[in-house]
Amino acid sequence: MQANFAIGARARARYVTTIAALALAGAILAGCSSVNERIGPAIGDTLPQWAGGEPKDIPPRRGTPEYDAYMKEQERKRLEPAPSNANASSAPASSSGLGPVH
């Protein structure tokens, strides 16, 4: 009887240990996701383009003061009247001087 109790207690202890290890791993993994949410954009902004970072001519991130200024500038440009081009009515010039091949 005592042998069966000892085997059951060891199995129960192993079960509890496994559950505790899985819960700990889940908590660590969840903690990493919240850290990566803040660190990821900072690393992307500071990483050079040759190493996979963002190019210099992209618009600022949404939610920053620079983004608001950028959007105001884009709206101002959109509302500007298009410049009239006197050459637009003439036929476009061929860049190579060769005619089409039929």
Side-chain angles (χ1 to χ4, degrees):
M1 181 81 171
Q2 287 182 352
N4 288 339
F5 178 74
I7 292 172
R10 275 187 264 156
R12 211 174 338 207
R14 186 178 301 167
Y15 178 74
V16 169
T17 304
T18 303
I19 295 296
L22 289 174
L24 181 63
I28 290 171
L29 190 61
C32 288
S33 68
S34 65
V35 169
N36 287 338
E37 181 180 301
R38 287 181 236 125
I39 291 176
I43 291 174
D45 290 343
T46 58
L47 197 63
Q49 184 180 4
W50 60 265
E54 297 174 341
K56 296 292 182 198
D57 60 345
I58 62 169
R61 292 191 186 275
R62 185 176 292 184
T64 61
E66 295 87 12
Y67 179 79
D68 296 334
Y70 173 78
M71 290 307 291
K72 285 180 184 175
E73 179 66 19
Q74 292 298 316
E75 184 67 17
R76 186 189 62 77
K77 285 180 182 178
R78 187 181 71 81
L79 294 175
E80 275 183 4
S84 62
N85 191 355
N87 296 333
S89 61
S90 65
S94 174
S95 61
S96 66
L98 298 175
V101 178
H102 294 278

